[in-house]
Amino acid sequence: MEHLELFFKSIFIDNMVFATFLGMCSYLAVSKKVTTAVGLGAAVIFVLAVTVPLNWLLDQYILQPGALVWLGPEYAEYDLSFLSFILFIATIATMVQLVEIIVEKFSPSLYNSLGIFLPLIAVNCAILGGSLFMQSREIATLGLALNYGIGSGIGWFLAILAIAAIREKIRYSNIPAPLRGLGITFIVTGLMAIGFMSFGGMLTGGDEEAEEAPNTQVVKVIKTEDAKAIKMKKKELANNTKEIQE
Amino acid sequence: MGLLSKKDAALITDPFADNNPITIQVLGICSALAITAELKASIVMAISVLFVLGVGNVVISLMRNIIPSKIRIVVQLIVVATLVIIVDLVLKAFQYELSKTLGAFIGLIITNCIIMGRFEAFALANGPWRSFLDGIGNAVGYGVILILVGFFRELLGSGTLLGFKVLGDPIEKTGVYAFGYENNGFMLLAPMALIVVGIIIWIQRSRNEALIEEN
């Protein structure tokens, strides 16, 4: 249950692009065509799935205050957390190089389709962001870290896929000249982010119920009202995006 | 302008408007959007990037002839990461509350595309002084957009600027609130940052037709 919740949360509620704006640069630069967007998205899922658990291990056994205690009791007071940026980014850069070499050796066709994107990924903020948020949200086990990596990768993939599809269509519409290209992409992303906000209320409900057991009825009423509001929002959003597309 | 030749001065002024890193080069969007709900956070972020980009450009430019091109990305990342750790520790020492709110986003300066983009595009091919000017120019161009977005989001969203209640008190109904004005809480939420930047791009491009993209 914990796993399922984290997975869902990292895809929809804490979506990398729409909730925390990570990886916006490549999101905007590589979303002109659906095929390239799929390539980059797949590469991001893969790299996140590798680097988040690796950095979790680093964080647990080297960086956290007192993490070096496995070396011996005299190391218990060391706090190396100020080194986390440099260690995380070094892991990511080397992992990306490694992945590039392995993919080139075993699957040249995949390498050709991902080729240019792999080096780009090392400087994609989504990757480092995944590790930094993993650290600041204090994810508890290695399995959860892997789960979080894959989940946020899929969230990023969904986002770039959606915007690439919209941009392919939007090319045929009559947009005010100064808004063409970058401007309209920003505004569409903003509207999509508002849409994704409607996922926000979904998982918090469980905690409230547990805490306020006597008032369950009230909570339920509020919940249905929330759900109605969310549905309304979604409808509005769908209309808005349609209008823009037209 | 005895210190700066005309060409050097252009390095500082260009990124300000017609070659702005955010609205034209599309670099460094992530942090520009995430932390601009308050003006103060925007200013601190702009100063941090100014420091990292200015110093980083000089360091990379000094090392440009001894870095093997195959591992240059790793070298660049290490240089930036070191500078960012300095910024992070300084913030933690003097502005602890703020460094809590900025949280992971200070660390994300490392992968801010502006920094890698300027290293690759400029510092690897130019001398230290010109690289320094380029770094400062781009960081200021970035900072201007950041502060602009932060200004509007804080003013319209919570009716304050840098924490001062410039529009009056919403609870006691003073200032403009006496006339029935309400804060637009939506401005504080993440999606509005995107829309504000979109509008800035719109205004800039309708003033300068040369920047309009082909469809």
Side-chain angles (χ1 to χ4, degrees):
Chain A
M1 193 56 212
E2 199 186 0
H3 277 269
L4 199 67
E5 199 179 309
L6 183 71
F7 190 65
F8 187 78
K9 207 174 161 197
S10 52
I11 294 182
F12 291 107
I13 301 173
D14 291 330
N15 185 289
M16 280 270 179
V17 174
F18 297 129
T20 45
F21 300 120
L22 295 178
M24 283 301 277
C25 309
S26 28
Y27 168 86
L28 291 169
V30 199
S31 61
K32 285 195 177 132
K33 270 188 172 173
V34 170
T35 41
T36 47
V38 169
L40 183 67
V44 166
I45 297 182
F46 186 69
V47 174
L48 265 174
V50 176
T51 54
V52 173
L54 256 180
N55 281 334
W56 184 86
L57 287 175
L58 275 179
D59 189 43
Q60 287 293 307
Y61 293 107
I62 296 180
L63 295 171
Q64 277 185 1
L68 283 172
V69 79
W70 54 273
L71 276 177
E74 67 270 28
Y75 292 96
E77 282 173 15
Y78 283 65
D79 176 7
L80 295 181
S81 50
F82 68 95
L83 281 177
S84 50
F85 295 157
I86 217 165
L87 266 184
F88 284 177
I89 198 70
T91 321
I92 288 166
T94 42
M95 276 319 298
V96 169
Q97 288 272 309
L98 207 66
V99 167
E100 206 181 336
I101 294 167
I102 294 171
V103 171
E104 190 181 7
K105 175 99 172 111
F106 289 104
S107 170
S109 63
L110 181 65
Y111 179 76
N112 284 334
S113 57
L114 290 183
I116 24 167
F117 300 126
L118 276 174
L120 265 182
I121 285 180
V123 287
N124 187 333
C125 359
I127 311 289
L128 182 64
S131 293
L132 289 178
F133 279 120
M134 173 272 296
Q135 192 187 31
S136 66
R137 283 175 195 162
E138 292 167 2
I139 286 183
T141 64
L142 186 61
L144 282 175
L146 177 68
N147 185 335
Y148 179 69
I150 296 176
S152 25
I154 293 176
W156 201 86
F157 177 84
L158 279 181
I160 196 169
L161 192 63
I163 194 73
I166 292 178
R167 282 181 84 171
E168 277 196 359
K169 292 278 176 206
I170 227 170
R171 207 174 301 148
Y172 305 108
S173 29
N174 188 14
I175 304 161
L179 265 182
R180 262 178 223 155
L182 193 58
I184 196 71
T185 313
F186 266 99
I187 292 177
V188 169
T189 311
L191 292 175
M192 282 160 76
I194 296 172
F196 265 70
M197 272 168 61
S198 55
F199 289 112
M202 281 182 153
L203 284 184
T204 48
D207 302 340
E208 278 170 16
E209 235 170 10
E211 281 168 23
E212 300 170 32
N215 301 333
T216 26
Q217 273 187 334
V218 184
V219 174
K220 267 182 192 163
V221 172
I222 292 171
K223 259 194 197 165
T224 44
E225 273 175 11
D226 271 358
K228 270 182 198 165
I230 287 168
K231 268 185 194 165
M232 293 287 287
K233 255 192 205 166
K234 269 188 189 167
K235 267 187 196 165
E236 270 176 30
L237 181 82
N239 289 337
N240 282 346
T241 38
K242 259 185 204 163
E243 272 165 29
I244 286 167
Q245 276 178 358
E246 281 160 15
Chain B
M1 302 288 268
L3 247 172
L4 304 168
S5 68
K6 223 175 190 179
K7 233 169 121 195
D8 286 350
L11 285 177
I12 287 207
T13 51
D14 265 3
F16 214 69
D18 292 346
N19 198 15
N20 189 286
I22 292 185
T23 58
I24 310 296
Q25 302 175 41
V26 205
L27 296 174
I29 312 282
C30 329
S31 51
L33 300 171
I35 45 90
T36 47
E38 278 174 59
L39 187 56
K40 196 176 176 193
S42 317
I43 293 173
V44 168
M45 193 69 180
I47 293 171
S48 317
V49 169
L50 186 76
F51 168 75
V52 174
L53 193 52
V55 179
N57 249 359
V58 173
V59 173
I60 293 291
S61 163
L62 286 173
M63 302 201 305
R64 69 185 187 279
N65 294 324
I66 52 167
I67 304 176
S69 71
K70 275 201 165 171
I71 58 158
R72 67 178 192 283
I73 293 200
V74 178
V75 175
Q76 289 165 0
L77 285 175
I78 299 294
V79 171
V80 192
T82 318
L83 292 170
V84 170
I85 289 176
I86 297 174
V87 170
D88 187 45
L89 292 177
V90 169
L91 272 186
K92 269 189 188 144
F94 295 106
Q95 287 282 345
Y96 188 71
E97 286 304 312
L98 202 62
S99 93
K100 278 275 172 209
T101 44
L102 287 174
F105 286 96
I106 287 291
L108 286 170
I109 297 179
I110 299 172
T111 48
N112 191 322
C113 333
I114 287 188
I115 297 188
M116 298 299 284
R118 290 331 289 173
F119 283 2
E120 287 278 306
F122 201 91
L124 279 176
N126 288 283
W129 174 238
R130 282 172 61 81
S131 301
F132 178 69
L133 293 179
D134 179 76
I136 298 292
N138 276 287
V140 171
Y142 166 86
V144 167
I145 301 287
L146 219 65
I147 289 169
L148 210 61
V149 178
F151 175 82
F152 282 113
R153 283 182 74 190
E154 190 176 344
L155 183 67
L156 300 177
S158 35
T160 57
L161 282 177
L162 292 171
F164 294 110
K165 291 174 179 153
V166 285
L167 295 182
D169 198 310
I171 298 160
E172 291 171 15
K173 301 275 175 211
T174 57
V176 289
Y177 296 101
F179 305 104
Y181 174 83
E182 290 282 345
N183 282 329
N184 182 1
F186 208 55
M187 290 299 282
L188 295 177
L189 298 175
M192 283 313 284
L194 283 160
I195 292 174
V196 172
V197 175
I199 292 170
I200 291 176
I201 291 174
W202 190 358
I203 295 170
Q204 189 187 17
R205 291 189 181 185
S206 51
R207 288 171 62 103
N208 188 346
E209 307 262 317
L211 299 175
I212 291 173
E213 284 175 53
E214 290 287 313
N215 232 348

